[in-house]
Amino acid sequence: MTGTVPAPEATVPGTPAGAPTSLSPTARGLWRRSRWYLAVLAALLIGAAAVSSLGEDRRYPPLDPRSYDRDGTHAALALLERQGLKAEFTTDPTTAPAGQDTLVLPEPDLLSPAQLRAVAAARHRRLVLVAPGPAALTTLAPGIRLSDDAGGPPYAAVRSTPAECSLTEAVRAGSAQQGGMLYTSGSRGEGCYPRGHGYPLVSLPAADGDRDVIVLGSGSFLHNSELAKDGDASLALGLLGSQPRLTWHLPDYSVPVPDDARTRTFEDYLPSGWGWATRQLAVAAVLAALWRGRRLGPVVSENLPVVVRAAETTEGRARLYRRAKARGRAAEALRCATAHRLAPALGVPLRAGAPDPDALCVAVADRLPDRPAGDVRALLYGPPPTDDAALLRLADDLDALERQVRNP
């Protein structure tokens, strides 16, 4: 029996069995092949670590005393603590100890009716409400209403405003950055920083005269970025530091605000940063106007690089008319040129750059008795030709008419 015997594997003389050959992968070769993939993987890992570390940076809401951002209030709290005031934070204002203290409610509308009643019954020495709505005003500051309830504007832009009241803290601070929601002072309250028909700051003393409620239309003067303007720092220290202990409520923003708890303004529907975006767009528009409206220099005449014969220009324009099938435009150009050449020869004046059609036709008919004025009008001012052959006939007829007029 015959068969095919497989050839033995080729071996290198002197090489022991199982030793690596030149085709076997080495550590150096594997490193060269995979180093770029490892570099990309390392870059992705570093980027993911950076993103995760940035994501751990806590973002606080506005008026948060723990925030160092522009709209935070850590600077005001630091100034109060430097003067020896004891500051505390609470997530439940009903558990805040009453007595010689000041309770700050940045978002009183987020409190339930039961919590509002509990705060009102706690008898805090001073209660500071920031932009409260009708429900919070009814429970915590009876007699004070939103200015739109009295027919006035409900909101005013924040700007420097004089105090114009007898409240000790406001008189000491002088002008301050005030605005936001506007309120009426009622019969027992006193309004400060008047804006139109309302006040962004109203002080309401209690009936026993031992407590008071401060209603603020906006807490912007407490922001870290605004504290150095006007008398904002003095006003903040005076309103929040009148008692030896300060309790600051940290609202739970996951609780939805009732629709009737706060009057929403137009700015509530605008995204943050819209003011800077509008200023940037205005600057860009001004720069674009200056760029496009720059004054041009005088007209400079230049010699043409080449001299083109009139015949070539005419032929080129004719080819363009033919390609666009603009027979009417070509016929109009021929007729207009013929009329302009015939008018001086017949003594017909030009008016607005063109001869009067009636006068020109009558003059041609007088020069050529065998050509009625109607035929001349149809030739000079008739309808456009319908095809190329009609356009050629029109050109020939116009040329013949001009020769007859010049050589009757």
Side-chain angles (χ1 to χ4, degrees):
M1 186 172 94
T2 62
T4 303
V5 179
E9 293 182 358
T11 59
V12 179
T15 302
T21 65
S22 61
L23 300 179
S24 300
T26 62
R28 186 174 183 180
L30 292 175
W31 166 250
R32 288 182 177 179
R33 294 179 184 178
S34 60
R35 57 183 177 179
W36 294 112
Y37 299 100
L38 294 176
V40 173
L41 180 60
L44 292 177
L45 293 176
I46 294 174
V51 171
S52 62
S53 62
L54 291 176
E56 294 178 356
D57 184 20
R58 298 194 61 180
R59 299 289 298 177
Y60 295 102
L63 293 178
D64 196 300
R66 300 165 297 178
S67 175
Y68 291 82
D69 296 334
R70 294 175 57 87
D71 56 358
T73 57
H74 179 79
L77 192 66
L79 292 177
L80 292 171
E81 290 179 341
R82 186 178 299 177
Q83 294 183 354
L85 182 140
K86 182 181 179 182
E88 299 177 355
F89 305 144
T90 180
T91 56
D92 186 2
T94 60
T95 62
Q100 301 291 328
D101 75 316
T102 298
L103 177 62
V104 180
L105 299 179
E107 289 287 350
D109 295 332
L110 295 179
L111 301 179
S112 64
Q115 289 177 319
L116 292 175
R117 290 192 296 269
V119 171
R123 300 182 64 84
H124 295 279
R125 182 60 61 89
R126 169 164 286 183
L127 189 61
V128 179
L129 309 178
V130 181
L137 290 175
T138 302
T139 306
L140 302 178
I144 299 178
R145 296 183 304 166
L146 291 169
S147 65
D148 58 347
D149 297 338
Y155 188 87
V158 176
R159 61 177 174 83
S160 178
T161 309
E164 297 185 11
C165 66
S166 60
L167 183 65
T168 304
E169 293 85 347
V171 173
R172 184 186 304 116
S175 297
Q177 300 290 321
Q178 289 292 323
M181 305 296 294
L182 300 181
Y183 302 92
T184 58
S185 58
S187 58
R188 294 188 300 108
E190 181 179 8
C192 296
Y193 304 97
R195 299 290 296 277
H197 298 280
Y199 303 91
L201 190 154
V202 177
S203 174
L204 179 65
D208 53 10
D210 193 31
R211 297 176 293 117
D212 63 348
V213 179
I214 302 296
V215 177
L216 300 176
S218 171
S220 60
F221 72 97
L222 300 173
H223 290 170
N224 298 328
S225 61
E226 303 292 327
L227 207 60
K229 297 181 179 179
D230 290 344
D232 291 358
S234 175
L235 183 63
L237 296 179
L239 295 179
L240 304 182
S242 61
Q243 304 301 321
R245 185 173 63 248
L246 173 68
T247 303
W248 198 296
H249 177 227
L250 304 178
D252 183 6
Y253 289 92
S254 62
V255 178
V257 182
D259 293 337
D260 57 348
R262 182 175 181 179
T263 303
R264 297 182 66 86
T265 62
F266 175 73
E267 293 187 358
D268 294 333
Y269 299 94
L270 297 177
S272 59
W274 66 270
W276 284 108
T278 304
R279 296 184 183 94
Q280 291 176 0
L281 290 176
V283 172
V286 171
L287 294 178
L290 293 176
W291 169 57
R292 297 298 298 175
R294 65 187 186 279
R295 186 181 182 90
L296 299 177
V299 178
V300 178
S301 60
E302 296 183 2
N303 297 326
L304 294 177
V306 294
V307 178
V308 182
R309 293 184 300 172
E312 294 181 4
T313 304
T314 304
E315 291 177 1
R317 182 174 295 182
R319 292 191 186 97
L320 292 177
Y321 284 155
R322 183 177 182 180
R323 181 179 301 176
K325 297 181 180 180
R327 303 184 188 91
R329 185 68 177 271
E332 182 181 359
L334 294 174
R335 285 167 168 166
C336 183
T338 302
H340 276 74
R341 289 193 296 267
L342 289 177
L346 297 174
V348 177
L350 298 178
R351 295 180 179 177
D356 182 67
D358 296 334
L360 182 62
C361 294
V362 171
V364 172
D366 292 342
R367 179 67 64 90
L368 304 175
D370 57 339
R371 300 292 295 268
D375 294 345
V376 175
R377 177 177 287 275
L379 182 60
L380 293 176
Y381 302 100
T386 57
D387 52 17
D388 292 343
L391 180 61
L392 292 176
R393 288 195 300 271
L394 175 64
D396 294 339
D397 293 342
L398 290 174
D399 186 55
L401 178 64
E402 187 173 356
R403 287 199 306 268
Q404 291 174 6
V405 170
R406 293 184 179 278
N407 301 304

